[in-house]
Amino acid sequence: GAGVSQSPSNKVTEKGKDVELRCDPISGHTALYWYRQSLGQGLEFLIYFQGNSAPDKSGLPSDRFSAERTGGSVSTLTIQRTQQEDSAVYLCASSLDVFVRGYTFGSGTRLTVV
Amino acid sequence: AQKVTQAQTEISVVEKEDVTLDCVYETRDTTYYLFWYKQPPSGELVFLIRRNSFDEQNEISGRYSWNFQKSTSSFNFTITASQVVDSAVYFCALSEDGGTSYGKLTFGQGTILTVHP
């Protein structure tokens, strides 16, 4: 596609439920990154993929968070047993590869846990 | 560990004023990349500039200019003759070239710029 697409754009969920956030990167981009933007913490790195592999998961805040990428394309970020502190905007970015440093960001998914 | 500091949390100016957004970074790498992004109210992060650590030339793009000084680990951003449409949150970010986190961006806390008519 022309840009990075994220869905849903907004998600309200009840505490304790699981949620899945989707990212469609730009076609041909092998590197994909997830970030979280919250009021208290700013923009935090969560995980990145090179192809379908995730060499760095160091930013995932707990084992309730997981992500996968299939076919070197779409990525899904899953949050299990959501907590109120998970409320944030989740941003996805893609780059041609990890060395190019040309990131394009999606518009994000705003997650609200009530 | 890498770190980016944007000391100015909020800046308010009147249209046509010049404004400089400060960014100071910390890294142990000799090769790294610096970025500025704009986040308008719509929420999407818009790329403004990328600089690598070997290129200390200042850059000007229209009303925007950037001053990169390795000696002070700073990468400041100036908007000349600001306009209301410049109102946004501006983020400075750093990407190191070593380790397993190729391409990982570390962001500053952001500076909220408000330009009043």
Side-chain angles (χ1 to χ4, degrees):
Chain A
V4 177
S5 178
Q6 291 189 247
S7 59
S9 54
N10 278 285
K11 176 74 176 178
V12 179
T13 189
E14 291 180 353
K15 179 180 171 182
K17 300 274 190 184
D18 297 352
V19 294
E20 283 190 353
L21 312 180
R22 177 185 167 108
C23 173
D24 266 293
I26 291 174
S27 178
H29 280 198
T30 62
L32 186 148
Y33 305 82
W34 283 97
Y35 292 85
R36 179 170 74 171
Q37 185 173 20
S38 53
L39 277 176
Q41 303 298 323
L43 271 156
E44 308 170 278
F45 167 80
L46 297 178
I47 186 172
Y48 100 93
F49 291 89
Q50 176 60 33
N52 293 333
S53 302
D56 188 354
K57 308 178 183 179
S58 63
L60 294 177
S62 75
D63 58 9
R64 295 186 296 104
F65 287 72
S66 63
E68 65 173 12
R69 189 178 185 195
T70 55
S73 181
V74 172
S75 176
T76 303
L77 177 69
T78 301
I79 309 173
Q80 295 178 310
R81 304 180 303 280
T82 51
Q83 304 293 312
Q84 287 186 330
E85 61 263 28
D86 300 334
S87 296
V89 176
Y90 290 81
L91 289 163
C92 176
S94 71
S95 178
L96 190 60
D97 64 47
V98 293
F99 302 105
V100 171
R101 304 293 200 278
Y103 314 96
T104 301
F105 281 83
S107 298
T109 293
R110 181 176 297 278
L111 176 67
T112 305
V113 182
V114 298
Chain B
Q2 55 190 29
K3 184 179 178 182
V4 177
T5 302
Q6 295 178 252
Q8 304 147 308
T9 305
E10 290 191 55
I11 299 176
S12 183
V13 298
V14 177
E15 208 168 18
K16 297 184 183 176
E17 282 185 34
D18 298 347
V19 57
T20 295
L21 310 182
D22 297 333
C23 173
V24 174
Y25 62 91
E26 294 176 28
T27 177
R28 294 178 187 168
D29 274 15
T30 54
T31 304
Y32 52 88
Y33 297 81
L34 295 164
F35 300 78
W36 275 95
Y37 285 89
K38 174 181 179 180
Q39 188 176 43
S42 60
E44 193 163 334
L45 278 169
V46 178
F47 168 81
L48 295 178
I49 189 172
R50 176 184 68 211
R51 255 300 186 254
N52 72 51
S53 51
F54 297 110
D55 183 0
E56 283 194 76
Q57 278 191 331
N58 291 333
E59 180 153 339
I60 298 175
S61 176
R63 296 184 296 107
Y64 296 169
S65 62
W66 291 268
N67 184 343
F68 176 28
Q69 292 196 337
K70 286 178 75 172
S71 61
T72 55
S73 297
S74 65
F75 186 43
N76 296 336
F77 172 32
T78 297
I79 302 174
T80 303
S82 60
Q83 300 176 0
V84 172
V85 293
D86 296 328
S87 297
V89 184
Y90 290 86
F91 290 95
C92 180
L94 167 71
S95 174
E96 291 178 335
D97 208 27
T100 58
S101 295
Y102 290 119
K104 166 187 169 183
L105 285 167
T106 297
F107 287 89
Q109 290 297 306
T111 297
I112 302 170
L113 174 65
T114 304
V115 182
H116 299 281

